[in-house]
Amino acid sequence: MRRSLVLAVTAALAVAAAFPLAPAQAASSPKYDITTLAGKVASLHGTAGLQIRFSSFIEEEAADPGLSSAPAAPISPTFVPGSPLDGSSVLAPAVTVNQDTAGAPQNETAIAVDPNNPNRVVASANEYASRTWTCTISGTPCSALGDGYSGTYASNDGGATWCCTSSDPTHLGTLIPGVTRLAGGQYDAGGDPAVAFDSRGQVYYAGLGFNRSSAPNTVTVSKGTFTGNGSLNWGAPTFINQTTSPAVFNDKEWIAVDSHVSSPFRDRVYVTSTRFIFNPQTGAYVQSPIAFVSSSDGGRTFTTPKLISGNVLYGQGSRPVVGPDGTLYVFWDGAKRQDALDSTYMVKSTDGGASWSTPAAVAQLADSNPLHDTAFRVNSFPAAAAAPNGDLYATWTTISGGASTAVYSKSSDGGTTWTSPARVFTSAVRTPTGYPASQPGGGTLSAPSPAGPVEDIFPAAGVGPDGHVYLGAYRGDTVSPWQTCASSQPPPVGRISCDVLGPYIHNTRLDYVATDVITGVTKTMSTHPINTRNGFGGGFFGDYTDLTVGSDGTMHALFTDSNNQQKVVWFYGAQFVPTPINQEDVVTATGRF
């Protein structure tokens, strides 16, 4: 398979040098080592006045410590951070999608349904299964080589059961082949997934491939086909905008396929991503426009990348959506050079991506801060969907009344005008539970008063063939005590093992909630409040959620949940005695409201 669209280093340097500097970037700015992920993240964070960030997946990868071999003896944790309020399993009717049982985290969810078969569902997530593999490679534990990978899962019964799991490099199971080194590819890590079906039942996966300590990176696309017995087989990936230049980094891609049988662009594959550009001499962030490619041959080759965000130079979190007539819309979170706030922007193409409209703002937004009493990173990236009658729906989060709030807008004229942003959910206050908590140093932690508002994050959108519009998001609807760790070993061991417990603090827990905009019916899709302090040191719970609607009108929501308790033995190069912990898993819930 041809791996096309290689971006030459010289071209990247010329592009970076030609573009204007980011807002508030001074000539005396420090230099950054942009050959590493950590250096690129530091450059972006060091740009004053900028609301744009890398995806949470990339920031988590950059923050991870270096890998090490396993210690001589298994670690017996003194304390394991947790809470008696945590669940021990994800309960029906919600279903755990990933099938591993060795404490492998999963997060960042995307889901799609075959338009011809509502029972055939494909899900995807960042997959960290290799961090639990008990094999060795040249004497090094597999988990010490483990990283974030591209995971996919398939169901042939409408999401009731899922396949498969991965156990070692010869049993890849859920991992996309040909991208990461342990899966036969050339990159250390992959992930940040998105999936979409075409009109003929073939499914496409888009993700990232990159190294943490060197420059190479790419956007990848793989095509999956189902065999007669329902098994999903993935072909070799096509690499898009593959580059070794430290001045360019591809992030936060998303994929859409024109699955409309009557469209003039039937089965054309569309991929958008963010192209982060840095000054090659100083490492300073320059800009991050939205890039676009398409394929008309089933993902074998793609067009030359085209920047479609015009003068909205500082963007992130793009989302392509195809209307019933084949019109292509792309939404993203972005800002122009002098903007004080970001906006949700949109461009459209009526000729299959050959030409594009001028970017238009759907609405201004204030980028979400971490939800009150949480620690995980958040964003205001949009999600969007097109209805069978051509109506468009876009949803995102913004700060309203000091709280992160999911809102949505509708357009009935092809994106020319939009309704004023309206709340997705009715305002509410958090429910305190588990109080009072006795502090180890004396005294108690009482429930906050007032309890504070319920906040929203990571919204998703989907429209069924019957025109029903579903919007979903996490809602921080519960507040409870969480005992901190006062002293522990450095990560990753310290993410599981605590040496000295600290005081209790307030901790917001989430539920995943979905609403049907047409009927006004709202339902909680999760089965137990979700504790985001479990996994990744509490700092990473994903960048987004997703939902889709099948031809039978059934909505499938896919989100990260932490209520399954699993036993960790190997974890990221460290060996534990079998230690039960609550782990991040990906969970689906279905319904028709």
Side-chain angles (χ1 to χ4, degrees):
M1 178 172 294
R2 194 183 85 177
R3 292 185 169 97
S4 57
L5 311 178
V6 177
L7 179 64
V9 174
T10 53
L13 300 182
V15 168
F19 283 137
L21 297 179
Q25 183 180 301
S28 59
S29 297
K31 289 189 175 182
Y32 299 95
D33 178 11
I34 56 173
T35 62
T36 67
L37 278 187
K40 289 182 171 71
V41 170
S43 175
L44 201 62
H45 286 188
T47 305
L50 187 70
Q51 298 183 65
I52 296 301
R53 290 289 181 261
F54 283 112
S55 65
S56 291
F57 173 58
I58 293 301
E59 296 210 353
E60 173 62 31
E61 287 287 307
D64 264 339
L67 304 179
S68 61
S69 297
I75 299 165
S76 297
T78 305
F79 303 103
V80 178
S83 167
L85 300 174
D86 291 344
S88 58
S89 63
V90 170
L91 303 176
V95 177
T96 302
V97 172
N98 53 278
Q99 300 300 299
D100 65 275
T101 57
Q106 289 84 19
N107 53 36
E108 297 199 343
T109 56
I111 191 168
V113 180
D114 186 337
N116 306 307
N117 182 354
N119 287 322
R120 180 158 287 170
V121 191
V122 173
S124 60
N126 294 335
E127 173 68 85
Y128 301 86
S130 62
R131 294 182 177 182
T132 70
W133 291 350
T134 55
C135 56
T136 60
I137 297 177
S138 301
T140 301
C142 288
S143 70
L145 301 171
D147 217 315
Y149 289 159
S150 306
T152 63
Y153 322 89
S155 174
N156 288 290
D157 55 13
T161 60
W162 293 86
C163 178
C164 298
T165 189
S166 297
S167 58
D168 60 64
T170 60
H171 302 86
L172 294 178
T174 60
L175 303 189
I176 289 285
V179 177
T180 54
R181 297 186 196 282
L182 289 187
Q186 59 185 276
Y187 293 96
D188 292 342
D192 212 346
V195 289
F197 273 93
D198 67 14
S199 68
R200 295 175 170 85
Q202 300 175 116
V203 64
Y204 295 82
Y205 171 99
L208 303 176
F210 59 92
N211 296 345
R212 277 195 282 169
S213 57
S214 58
N217 69 92
T218 190
V219 172
T220 76
V221 172
S222 301
K223 182 169 72 173
T225 56
F226 284 85
T227 63
N229 64 4
S231 298
L232 175 57
N233 295 326
W234 292 99
T238 299
F239 293 153
I240 301 168
N241 205 30
Q242 192 175 18
T243 177
T244 58
S245 168
V248 176
F249 190 84
N250 303 289
D251 191 19
K252 197 65 196 74
E253 92 305 323
W254 202 265
I255 192 169
V257 182
D258 189 341
S259 60
H260 303 288
V261 175
S262 61
S263 169
F265 313 109
R266 179 184 181 183
D267 293 336
R268 186 167 294 184
V269 181
Y270 302 113
V271 179
T272 60
S273 60
T274 308
R275 182 180 295 181
F276 281 94
I277 300 172
F278 299 86
N279 184 300
Q281 281 75 45
T282 66
Y285 164 79
V286 177
Q287 58 183 235
S288 49
I290 304 301
F292 162 83
V293 296
S294 68
S295 173
S296 299
D297 58 8
R300 289 189 296 273
T301 61
F302 282 83
T303 58
T304 301
K306 178 185 300 185
L307 302 183
I308 61 173
S309 48
N311 62 349
V312 186
L313 297 175
Y314 315 107
Q316 177 62 304
S318 59
R319 186 68 66 99
V321 173
V322 183
D325 62 350
T327 299
L328 175 62
Y329 306 87
V330 178
F331 299 82
W332 75 98
D333 175 5
K336 299 177 183 177
R337 185 173 177 81
Q338 302 299 329
D339 289 347
L341 293 173
D342 285 7
S343 295
T344 295
Y345 277 93
M346 187 212 78
V347 292
K348 74 176 183 179
S349 173
T350 58
D351 53 13
S355 61
W356 292 86
S357 66
T358 301
V362 176
Q364 196 174 66
L365 62 92
D367 272 276
S368 292
N369 296 314
L371 307 191
H372 289 84
D373 302 316
T374 68
F376 67 96
R377 295 185 293 270
V378 300
N379 61 60
S380 289
F381 301 165
N389 67 352
D391 287 350
L392 300 171
Y393 294 84
T395 181
W396 63 93
T397 54
T398 187
I399 299 297
S400 177
S404 179
T405 304
V407 298
Y408 78 97
S409 292
K410 173 185 175 182
S411 175
S412 297
D413 56 9
T416 301
T417 60
W418 292 85
T419 60
S420 296
R423 293 186 65 108
V424 174
F425 305 109
T426 303
S427 60
V429 297
R430 298 183 298 181
T431 300
T433 185
Y435 294 98
S438 298
Q439 297 284 24
T444 60
L445 178 69
S446 299
S449 182
V454 173
E455 296 183 278
D456 314 321
I457 204 66
F458 301 157
V463 181
D466 55 4
H468 281 250
V469 180
Y470 292 95
L471 304 176
Y474 285 122
R475 304 212 75 201
D477 52 8
T478 302
V479 60
S480 63
W482 169 258
Q483 190 167 19
T484 60
C485 181
S487 176
S488 66
Q489 298 182 54
V493 173
R495 291 181 175 175
I496 297 175
S497 173
C498 180
D499 298 328
V500 179
L501 292 172
Y504 283 92
I505 60 173
H506 299 306
N507 177 36
T508 294
R509 292 165 179 260
L510 314 179
D511 273 305
Y512 198 79
V513 182
T515 187
D516 184 337
V517 173
I518 304 302
T519 65
V521 176
T522 299
K523 292 186 178 181
T524 298
M525 310 304 291
S526 48
T527 56
H528 186 89
I530 299 166
N531 187 357
T532 64
R533 303 272 177 179
N534 292 315
F536 294 96
F540 181 39
F541 212 73
D543 228 9
Y544 47 90
T545 68
D546 199 20
L547 62 81
T548 189
V549 186
S551 59
D552 60 352
T554 300
M555 184 272 291
H556 302 262
L558 183 66
F559 52 93
T560 305
D561 198 304
S562 64
N563 283 303
N564 280 331
Q565 194 172 84
Q566 301 179 16
K567 289 184 178 179
V568 168
V569 178
W570 287 94
F571 182 80
Y572 203 12
Q575 185 179 3
F576 291 82
V577 298
T579 302
I581 66 170
N582 282 83
Q583 188 56 270
E584 293 184 8
D585 289 316
V586 291
V587 170
T588 189
T590 63
R592 299 179 68 178
F593 302 176

